[in-house]
Structures are given as C-alpha cells and as structure tokens.
C-alpha cells in the first residue's frame, strides 16, 4: 500500500487546538516563535538517531526519516515564503507538492544523520528570520496557491504546527514499531 497524498487544509489549526498533537496556535505569542521553532527542531535529532528511523510503522505511514526530510524541506520552503512576504506586497506562493517531493527526493533513502543536521540548520535559519521581524512587519501578508491567506504572524504560528505535529506522528509510529500500540 502506498501513502495517500495529504490534501487536507491544515489552516484550521490557527483557530483551534490540534486534537492529535495538542498544539494551540490560536494564542501562541509571536515573540516566542523563533524560540519554539528552535526547541521543536531539537526534538528531531533523537528521533532520527534511532535504529528504526527508516522503518515505516505501517505501509501507509511515513517513517521517522521520511517525516524528518519533509520537516527539513518545510522549514526551507517556508523561509523562502517568509522572505517573500518581507520583500513583496502580498505575494502568492508557488505551489509545493510535498508528496511529489518525497518521491522525487527519495526521502526514504536519505541519511538520517544528514537529515537531522539539515533539519536543524533550516529550522535555525527560519527561527532567526522570525526573530528579526520588526513590529510593523507582522501584519504583512502572503497567499498560498490554494488561496489561503496569512500574515507573517499567522504564518509562523501555522508553520510551527507542522514540525510539532510530525514529532507526534513519529512518536506514534515508534510506539507501533516497538509493539507498544496496535
């Protein structure tokens, strides 16, 4: 069985807590975005440094390695989007097919140690960019190719959910692989 592409609109996390991972973006303070992006990124190295990192818990779920490569790319793509919002008035972001990228880049065959280093570097760059956002810039906007509209502030809160949620996904996957959950 292959992994079904994720076509859900996850922007709802800006309005209510995620029932799976518990993240609540609705009241996340913008001055903590950089800090929390870094803190979340540092949770990935131990997850990718496990013997089962390249094993899928089920045929229709990604491995820790695949999730880590995805999160690395999320940070890189979203840094570019943040930079566009800072440089242009209301840019529209190019579409990014994350499922096609996972296949084209062969996430499953990448080196988990390299992915961990690259994920941390991409997260730190993204966090540094958020730390540098000046007060008048927080309300600058950008629009995703599907029409979802963000301010720099809401975009940071939205993006933070992705690596946090995928930590939860990976922890659930390890529980399955280790027989602690059925």
């Amino acid at each position: 069985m292959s992994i079904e592409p994720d076509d859900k609109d996850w922007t709802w996390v800006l309005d209510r807590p995620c029932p799976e991972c518990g993240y609540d973006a609705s009241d996340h303070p913008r001055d903590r975005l950089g800090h929390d992006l870094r803190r979340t990124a540092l949770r990935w190295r131990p997850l990718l440094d496990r013997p089962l990192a390249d094993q899928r818990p089920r045929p229709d779920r990604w491995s820790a390695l695949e999730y880590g490569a995805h999160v690395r790319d999320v940070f890189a793509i979203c840094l570019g989007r943040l930079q566009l919002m800072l440089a242009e008035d209301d840019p529209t972001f190019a579409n990014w097919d994350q499922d096609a990228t996972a296949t084209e880049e062969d996430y499953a065959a990448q080196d988990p140690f390299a992915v961990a280093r690259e994920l941390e570097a991409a997260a730190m760059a993204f966090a540094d960019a958020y730390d540098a956002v000046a007060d008048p810039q927080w309300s600058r906007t950008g629009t995703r190719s599907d029409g979802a509209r963000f301010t720099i502030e809401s975009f940071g809160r939205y993006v933070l959910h992705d690596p946090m949620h995928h930590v939860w996904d990976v922890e659930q996957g390890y529980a399955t692989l280790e027989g602690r959950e059925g």
Side-chain angles (χ1 to χ4, degrees):
M1 183 186 294
S2 65
I3 294 178
E4 220 172 282
D6 184 357
D7 58 0
K8 295 180 208 136
D9 178 2
W10 286 90
T11 56
W12 60 264
V13 300
L14 291 170
D15 301 317
R16 61 186 185 276
C18 179
E20 294 175 335
C21 72
Y23 174 67
D24 186 357
S26 66
D27 66 355
H28 194 280
R30 68 185 189 194
D31 63 338
R32 294 212 26 104
L33 283 169
H35 174 270
D36 291 341
L37 287 161
R38 285 182 194 88
R39 188 182 70 191
T40 300
L42 294 175
R43 294 182 66 190
W44 279 92
R45 187 175 295 260
L47 293 173
L48 294 170
D49 191 26
R50 292 177 67 171
L52 300 173
D54 63 347
Q55 300 298 306
R56 287 184 172 178
R58 297 185 347 211
D60 64 337
R61 294 287 184 261
W62 275 351
S63 67
L65 174 57
E66 290 166 300
Y67 275 120
H70 165 73
V71 167
R72 172 203 59 206
D73 290 352
V74 164
F75 283 130
I77 294 288
C78 291
L79 174 59
R81 290 177 176 185
L82 172 60
Q83 290 168 333
L84 275 176
M85 283 192 280
L86 290 166
E88 299 176 16
D89 289 333
D90 197 27
T92 298
F93 311 134
N95 185 46
W96 177 47
D97 186 333
Q98 60 191 15
D99 298 300
T101 301
T103 300
E104 291 163 8
E105 298 296 321
D106 196 6
Y107 283 175
Q110 294 188 17
D111 175 5
F113 300 107
V115 169
R117 285 189 308 274
E118 293 161 357
L119 186 156
E120 287 175 6
M124 299 310 153
F126 189 58
D128 289 348
Y130 261 93
D131 285 345
V133 173
D135 281 339
Q137 296 174 312
W138 287 102
S139 61
R140 292 185 62 81
T141 59
T143 305
R144 203 168 53 191
S145 61
D146 66 357
R149 191 171 167 88
F150 299 94
T151 63
I152 286 176
E153 182 175 355
S154 68
F155 185 66
R157 291 187 290 117
Y158 169 77
V159 173
L160 180 57
H161 174 253
D162 195 83
M164 292 180 75
H165 191 93
H166 292 320
V167 163
W168 180 86
D169 286 325
V170 168
E171 289 170 343
Q172 298 305 303
Y174 278 134
T176 298
L177 286 167
E178 294 164 355
R180 293 181 279 125
E181 182 179 301

